[in-house]
Amino acid sequence: MIEREKRALVTLDHPNIVKLKEIIENEVKQATYLVFEYVAGGELFGYIVSHGRLSEATARKFVRQV
């Protein structure tokens, strides 16, 4: 399942989707690290929490971006 997720993230290229920069695999620790680009501004959930209920126009703007 992780391999499928890695392949999907590598192929995504859209201005509104965080880009995967690098995949680091550590065989000794049996761990995989995914390095994403930095995105300022926070998450959509944080925006909703801080602003409360969204108007239909604002919600429409976010849905179009997704």
Side-chain angles (χ1 to χ4, degrees):
M1 193 161 99
I2 292 174
E3 292 300 321
R4 183 177 63 181
E5 186 73 15
K6 289 190 303 188
R7 283 193 305 274
L9 289 170
V10 168
T11 60
L12 292 175
D13 184 25
H14 189 275
N16 296 327
I17 298 176
V18 177
K19 290 175 184 46
L20 177 65
K21 293 293 191 178
E22 187 176 358
I23 300 172
I24 303 168
E25 302 213 18
N26 186 327
E27 298 295 330
V28 175
K29 293 183 179 180
Q30 295 182 340
T32 301
Y33 302 95
L34 304 176
V35 181
F36 291 92
E37 70 177 330
Y38 174 75
V39 179
E43 298 180 10
L44 176 58
F45 179 74
Y47 181 89
I48 294 170
V49 168
S50 66
H51 289 84
R53 177 177 249 171
L54 300 179
S55 68
E56 184 177 340
T58 304
R60 188 180 316 121
K61 179 182 79 169
F62 287 127
V63 170
R64 283 184 183 150
Q65 291 178 8
V66 173

